[in-house]
Amino acid sequence: MLELYQFEASSFAEKIRLILDYKQVPYHKVEVTPGVGQVEVFQMSGQRQVPVLKDGEQVIPDSTAIALHIEKAYPDRPLIPTEPKQKGLCLALESWADEAIVPKARIVMVGAFKQHPNFRTALLPSFTPAPLRSLVGALPGDLLNLVGTGVGFGPDDIKVATAGLRQDLEALVLMLQNSPYLLGDQPTLADFAVAAATMYLKFPTAQYVDLPEGIGGKGVPGIADVPEYKAFFDWRDRLYAEFRTARTNVPPASPSGGPTPISID
């Protein structure tokens, strides 16, 4: 079985999880402990970032390289169009999602994290002890900067990123008019990259990753609640409902359950 070395909260890992679910390829998640656990990833792949896919003897880092490997090794339910122009648009849209939407989404999420206590606690894994959950929710936003959350992201950065995301979402709404998917009648790599890139702007209505129940449909204020973007988020949720395997009837995660944690002592 394929092994996906990942961070549960990573948009890039989520892109690969969407692709594997779409292609109906079984896989096992290996949750990497940030910091020390990345040493093992480095020893295996030559770099510290996740996701990393292990397919038999092959070790593939980088979400785009992983997607291309999956497309070649598991060709059923293809992800990439064969017509040259459509293929070029597909690859360009994936790059746009990865290189433009994800960084801006990260900045505005940090802004919401600092300004809205309920949003902070919503992002904690479901197995987080209640006292720690309460402590995180009570931390002042300025203090979070001091402990490393959002360092380098000031109000101006958040304002610029928010404006950029609004423009991106407007473009996506236009692209999806009279079309079930970004490039026509079939989903492609572009759709899954965009869907994953926007997951933490507004959480899908069902639970797909290890987040508290009840968070579905909620997201970053000023983005998730804007009526003009509803058509996009409705499309994104339909994509999830069609192709992503939801976490149904799953007990609360614990360090001994769910993805296999790895770390180095």
Side-chain angles (χ1 to χ4, degrees), residues 180-242:
Y181 303 105
L182 288 171
L183 294 175
D185 294 333
Q186 297 296 324
T188 68
L189 174 59
D191 296 281
F192 297 121
V194 167
T198 59
M199 184 178 67
Y200 286 95
L201 293 176
K202 184 175 183 180
F203 300 103
T205 51
Q207 189 182 44
Y208 297 95
V209 298
D210 182 20
L211 292 170
E213 293 186 9
I215 194 62
K218 301 175 184 177
V220 175
I223 294 287
D225 52 0
V226 175
E228 289 79 5
Y229 310 145
K230 183 177 184 298
F232 168 76
F233 287 114
D234 286 348
W235 167 84
R236 199 276 317 274
D237 281 357
R238 286 196 298 272
L239 188 80
Y240 265 84
E242 284 183 278

Side-chain angles (χ1 to χ4, degrees), residues 12 15-16 19 62-68 80 87-102 182-183 188-194 197:
F12 297 114
K15 176 173 69 174
I16 300 307
I19 289 169
D62 182 79
S63 66
T64 298
I66 293 170
L68 296 176
I80 301 175
K87 181 177 180 179
L89 288 171
C90 175
L91 297 176
L93 286 171
E94 189 226 11
S95 179
W96 175 46
D98 287 359
E99 303 298 330
I101 297 178
V102 169
L182 288 171
L183 294 175
T188 68
L189 174 59
D191 296 281
F192 297 121
V194 167

Side-chain angles (χ1 to χ4, degrees), residues 102-209:
V102 169
K104 286 180 281 191
R106 186 177 296 128
I107 292 171
V108 300
M109 187 178 70
V110 167
F113 186 88
K114 294 195 297 184
Q115 296 172 27
H116 302 277
N118 291 340
F119 193 75
R120 293 177 212 159
T121 55
L123 292 175
L124 294 174
S126 61
F127 59 79
T128 303
L132 179 58
R133 185 177 295 277
S134 299
L135 176 63
V136 169
L139 286 174
D142 290 344
L143 181 58
L144 292 172
N145 274 339
L146 296 178
V147 299
T149 300
V151 170
F153 296 155
D156 289 342
D157 299 302
I158 295 167
K159 183 178 180 180
V160 170
T162 301
L165 276 176
R166 287 173 177 164
Q167 185 173 352
D168 293 340
L169 289 169
E170 289 171 9
L172 287 163
V173 169
L174 292 171
M175 288 182 212
L176 289 164
Q177 286 188 2
N178 304 316
S179 178
Y181 303 105
L182 288 171
L183 294 175
D185 294 333
Q186 297 296 324
T188 68
L189 174 59
D191 296 281
F192 297 121
V194 167
T198 59
M199 184 178 67
Y200 286 95
L201 293 176
K202 184 175 183 180
F203 300 103
T205 51
Q207 189 182 44
Y208 297 95
V209 298

Side-chain angles (χ1 to χ4, degrees), residues 4-6 10 12-13 16 49-53 60-63 66:
L4 179 65
Y5 290 75
Q6 63 155 39
S10 164
F12 297 114
I16 300 307
Q49 301 301 313
V50 294
V52 171
L53 184 72
I60 306 100
D62 182 79
S63 66
I66 293 170

